[in-house]
Amino acid sequence: MARYVALFGSINVGGNRLKMVDLRSAFEAEGFSDVETVVASGNVIFSHPARPTRGLEEKLTLMVDDRFDMRSAALVRSRDELAAAIADNPFAGTNEDKFVHTMFLDGQPTAAQFDALAGDKWIKPNERLALGDRALYIDYGDGVADSKLTGRLIERRLEHKGTARNMRSIARIVDKLDQLEKARP
């Protein structure tokens, strides 16, 4: 069994409230095993027979919609893909971890799509962007709260759904995966 992480967008923000115990129960009812959540923002670790993550993303997105009447994109990554989101982020270590994010995307944007986003008038001079593998790396400079560089704007410009996590959150998820792997019989 392969271990994956589902990163859900828009859970427990903007009025989309969902208890993690209910989300875990939904995963278990769908036949996923070793289900655990990390932080109450839609990060779910689970085991499943190895398969392309695209199929898992579609299944989980439909599951949340059907069970909870909630529109939330699910982005599925392996432990190594999450670790790469830290290692490959050119802004990691250059600003506070809470201001440096990786936005996980449901596909790979083109250079033209990235250029359209990078040239957007709403981006502040101290905000930086870089394109990764099905990911957008973001340094929010002085903070996320006052930024106009929102998930909605990014999704429109890149024409891909996504959900972002800061470096601290990604590191916590990778650490939890490593702990679970060590405890595996």
Side-chain angles (χ1 to χ4, degrees):
M1 294 280 253
R3 189 158 278 161
Y4 299 98
V5 177
L7 305 162
F8 288 91
S10 304
I11 288 189
N12 292 338
V13 295
N16 281 336
R17 299 288 175 219
L18 180 59
K19 293 180 181 173
M20 292 300 99
V21 67
D22 295 334
L23 187 55
R24 278 192 307 272
S25 295
F27 267 73
E28 291 164 352
E30 291 291 328
F32 295 99
S33 58
D34 305 319
V35 180
E36 296 203 29
T37 57
V38 182
V39 190
S41 58
N43 307 307
V44 183
I45 297 170
F46 63 96
S47 294
H48 191 277
R51 68 185 281 191
T53 56
R54 193 75 160 136
L56 289 171
E57 290 173 347
E58 290 171 11
K59 181 176 182 173
L60 295 173
T61 297
L62 289 171
M63 178 191 75
V64 168
D65 188 20
D66 288 346
R67 288 182 181 267
F68 305 107
D69 193 30
M70 186 179 293
R71 307 288 182 285
S72 178
L75 288 299
V76 177
R77 299 294 190 268
S78 68
R79 182 250 178 244
D80 290 345
E81 289 172 316
L82 282 179
I86 297 170
D88 296 347
N89 190 320
F91 312 123
T94 66
N95 196 355
E96 293 182 55
D97 283 351
K98 65 183 178 180
F99 298 149
V100 177
H101 289 67
T102 296
M103 183 166 189
F104 299 93
L105 302 168
D106 67 357
Q108 184 64 37
T110 65
Q113 290 168 325
F114 175 74
D115 290 344
L117 173 64
D120 196 282
K121 66 180 180 181
W122 297 110
I123 297 176
K124 294 179 184 177
N126 65 344
E127 293 177 327
R128 301 180 293 169
L129 301 172
L131 192 57
D133 180 20
R134 293 184 308 144
L136 178 69
Y137 304 120
I138 308 164
D139 177 358
Y140 280 100
D142 297 329
V144 180
D146 295 328
S147 178
K148 303 289 186 201
L149 189 56
T150 63
R152 187 175 303 233
L153 173 70
I154 293 168
E155 289 178 343
R156 269 197 326 262
R157 294 291 186 271
L158 297 182
E159 299 178 24
H160 287 281
K161 295 274 186 215
T163 186
R165 300 295 185 273
N166 66 35
M167 291 296 97
R168 186 180 308 155
S169 295
I170 298 169
R172 286 179 67 183
I173 297 167
V174 170
D175 185 52
K176 181 68 173 181
L177 284 162
D178 290 343
Q179 291 172 21
L180 292 169
E181 194 58 36
K182 287 178 187 174
R184 215 178 226 187

